[in-house]
Amino acid sequence: GGLDFAGNDTIWEVWGRGKWLAGLMILQSFSTTIFASVEDVVRAQPVVAMFMLMLVGVGANAGAQAVVRSAQRIATDGYAPGHGVFHRHLEKEFPVSVWLALLLAWFACGIVWTGQGGPSNAVAVAFSCGIIVVGSVLLGSALPFAFHRFDLDTIHSGAVMQVLAGIWAMVVTCLMCSLFLVPTMAPQTSG
């Protein structure tokens, strides 16, 4: 017994997990590039900044649940490409994603509206939430199967899902808010 900080098992575990986490950190750093490219939207639509964390969180959480459900499916049903397990799994998960999107979009609308966001902001955030949830559930459902298919350790699919959901949420929210909302303040131009 006892703690083993320098044993081979510990070092290999740190290497196996650490390389994924470092790579995901690099991937996630690209979200700053995305955020910078939509700086005018964020400046013109304060609701984007106010509720971005909530939307990133709901996407990551919905995707994480789907990752776990898929991993359970692989563990209990097995997975061999071409045997329809993945297709049947997505047939179950797609309706779930739509219902979750409707439910959570309704909650998001209420949160924004009662948080002094007003009806137009509430609708924009609700649409964003719905799209984020559907995309995150479907991506979370597919990732463990893809990892398994390409002989990657499915344990990493959850972490990959968290990063991709964050980027997905940022893109969708900025797009929806720029489509649905009239700027509340004029974007500043440089130069």
Side-chain angles (χ1 to χ4, degrees), residues 44-122:
Q45 307 296 347
V47 71
V48 172
M50 292 186 318
F51 294 101
M52 182 65 74
L53 188 57
M54 177 185 78
L55 294 168
V56 167
V58 76
N61 292 337
Q65 286 179 338
V67 164
V68 171
R69 179 68 68 208
S70 293
Q72 286 175 331
R73 188 77 184 247
I74 291 168
T76 58
D77 295 349
Y79 173 64
H83 288 101
V85 173
F86 175 65
H87 184 262
R88 286 191 306 276
H89 183 65
L90 282 186
E91 283 179 342
K92 288 183 177 184
E93 286 296 305
F94 181 68
V96 170
S97 74
V98 171
W99 279 108
L100 286 173
L102 292 170
L103 173 70
L104 296 170
W106 179 257
F107 272 95
C109 185
I111 289 167
V112 174
W113 200 318
T114 59
Q116 310 307 319
S120 60
N121 286 334

Side-chain angles (χ1 to χ4, degrees), residues 62-72 137 139-141 143-144 154 157-158 161:
Q65 286 179 338
V67 164
V68 171
R69 179 68 68 208
S70 293
Q72 286 175 331
V137 169
L139 182 59
S141 296
L143 277 175
T154 57
S157 58
M161 179 63 231

Side-chain angles (χ1 to χ4, degrees), residues 3 15 26 35 53 62 68 75 105 108 111 118-119 128 131 139 141 145 147 149 159-160 167 181 186:
L3 299 175
W15 169 249
I26 292 167
F35 209 66
L53 188 57
V68 171
I111 289 167
S128 299
I131 293 168
L139 182 59
S141 296
F145 285 96
F147 273 59
R149 172 72 174 96
V160 170
I167 294 170
L181 301 176

Side-chain angles (χ1 to χ4, degrees), residues 8-76:
N8 280 341
D9 289 344
T10 302
I11 300 303
W12 280 109
E13 185 71 17
V14 169
W15 169 249
R17 291 164 61 177
K19 65 184 175 189
W20 277 93
L21 294 172
L24 289 170
M25 187 183 291
I26 292 167
L27 178 61
Q28 197 163 28
S29 72
F30 290 119
S31 65
T32 59
T33 305
I34 294 168
F35 209 66
S37 71
V38 295
E39 184 177 350
D40 288 343
V41 173
V42 174
R43 201 176 280 130
Q45 307 296 347
V47 71
V48 172
M50 292 186 318
F51 294 101
M52 182 65 74
L53 188 57
M54 177 185 78
L55 294 168
V56 167
V58 76
N61 292 337
Q65 286 179 338
V67 164
V68 171
R69 179 68 68 208
S70 293
Q72 286 175 331
R73 188 77 184 247
I74 291 168
T76 58

